[in-house]
Each structure stands twice: as structure tokens, then as C-alpha cells.
Amino acid sequence: MSPSIETTHDPVARGWSFLKCFVRNPREVGALCPSTRHLGDAMLIGLDLQRDDVVVEYGPGTGSLTEAIRRRSDQVGGLRYLGIEREAAFCSILQRRFPGFEFAHAQVEDVRSLLDARGLPAPKAIISGLPLIFLPTRRDILRTASAVLGGGGSFRTFTYLQSWIMPAARDVRQTMRKSFSTFGCSSVVWRNFPPALVLRGDKSD
């Protein structure tokens, strides 16, 4: 079996790739291991996606949340997807694992130009796996996400339970409250390591 195929289909190999990227750049990766399927499903709860809606994913990593989006895409008959990932190693895994989805090796701050270059309309949803509490540009990222979302669109991100009281985590929540029409938080997703909560910012129609 070739290395590329093994990395694509073997979750253990993907886990090692994730861990190596974490060790090299822990503040950008933000976790020791990928999110679980349960968190991926929780990120999409209540999201009314229809065929050909545009979904953008920030920091898809090795594809844990992307897998949940692909399942939803299959259910609705096809979504237009753009994943924005700054780690080249992750991009290689993603492109092989999800051949029907498009990925850009780029910064999420460039989301508007990335959408324009592909002729994509305003997204219905932006799903973020970024460790926002570690990113100095988190406020700009959140404000830009709100600006590019279409009317009635939703931004979803998550925070680990143990990080909830950190000043940076409070800053993320406060910025989301100011940037979106409505803000909400899920109950704890215990079947994830570490346990996490989904934060939701919705844009009015």
C-alpha cells in the first residue's frame, strides 16, 4: 500500500500526522488529536443546508469535521464546499481523502478573495476548527466571517470545556455576540477529547 493511500484511509496514520503538526506548531493546531464524529455532528445541528449551498470550513486539519460535512452533503444531494487550511501536510491528506471537495492552502483571513476567485456566492455556513483562543487575529477572523456570510447564514466553532474561563475564550464569545445577530452555545459534547461546546453565531436574513 502506498504512503498516500495509507495516510488517506488509515485513521491512525492521520492521527500521527495531526500529532506531528501539533508538535511543530501547537498554537496553530490547538489540539493533540482530531475531533470526534460526535463533535462533528454537533457542529451541524440545526443547520438548514440545501443542495448547492456553499459551506466554508476554516482549518479542516485532517478532516474530522469535514467528514460530518460530507455526510450532510450526501444527504442533501451535494454542497459546494471550500476548505481553507494553512498546513500543507493537512492539505495533502484532505485532497486525497475528499476528492469531491475543494481545498485552498491559504489563510482564512483571505476568505473573501478565495470565494471571489472561485465564483462562489456568500456561504450559508462557515464551520471553524481553528483554535481561536490562540490566534491574535481572532477578532478579525470572526468579523470577516460575519461579513462574508449570506443572509440567514451561520458561523460555528467550538471551545474546549477546560478553556471556557480563559480570558481569550471570553473574548471569542464577546466578539461573536457583537459580530452576529444572535449568539448561542450548545451543551457539552462529552464524547470528544477534550469535551467541547459548540458556539454559534447567526446572521439575520
Side-chain angles (χ1 to χ4, degrees), residues 6 13 17-18 37 39 56 66 70 83 91 103 111 120 125 138 151 167 170 184 186 197:
E6 182 181 21
S17 295
F18 195 95
R37 172 174 180 156
L39 180 56
V56 174
T66 317
R70 179 168 65 177
C91 274
F103 298 92
V111 58
L120 292 172
R138 59 180 173 267
R170 291 199 297 270
S186 75
L197 303 96

Side-chain angles (χ1 to χ4, degrees), residues 25-61:
N25 200 348
R27 293 181 69 85
E28 292 290 343
V29 176
L32 279 167
C33 57
S35 302
T36 64
R37 172 174 180 156
H38 307 287
L39 180 56
D41 290 341
M43 291 281 277
L44 303 184
I45 288 177
L47 198 54
D48 182 22
L49 294 173
Q50 304 296 325
R51 181 183 176 90
D52 291 333
D53 280 344
V54 174
V55 175
V56 174
E57 186 178 5
Y58 287 178

Side-chain angles (χ1 to χ4, degrees), residues 176-196:
M176 288 184 68
R177 289 188 181 97
K178 294 176 181 177
S179 301
F180 298 93
S181 304
T182 60
F183 169 80
C185 179
S186 75
S187 57
V188 178
V189 181
W190 292 106
R191 297 177 72 180
N192 190 74
F193 180 76

Side-chain angles (χ1 to χ4, degrees), residues 113-177:
S113 61
L114 292 168
L115 288 167
D116 289 345
R118 290 160 175 79
L120 292 172
K124 182 67 176 289
I126 297 177
I127 307 299
S128 175
L130 296 174
L132 290 171
I133 63 172
F134 296 126
L135 302 182
T137 58
R138 59 180 173 267
R139 293 182 182 178
D140 290 337
I141 290 171
L142 291 168
R143 291 167 183 156
T144 300
S146 177
V148 302
L149 272 175
S154 185
F155 174 85
R156 307 287 177 90
T157 189
F158 65 87
T159 184
Y160 292 126
L161 182 60
Q162 78 272 18
S163 304
W164 183 261
I165 63 172
M166 292 176 60
R170 291 199 297 270
D171 183 59
V172 168
R173 298 194 296 274
Q174 290 170 358
T175 303
M176 288 184 68
R177 289 188 181 97

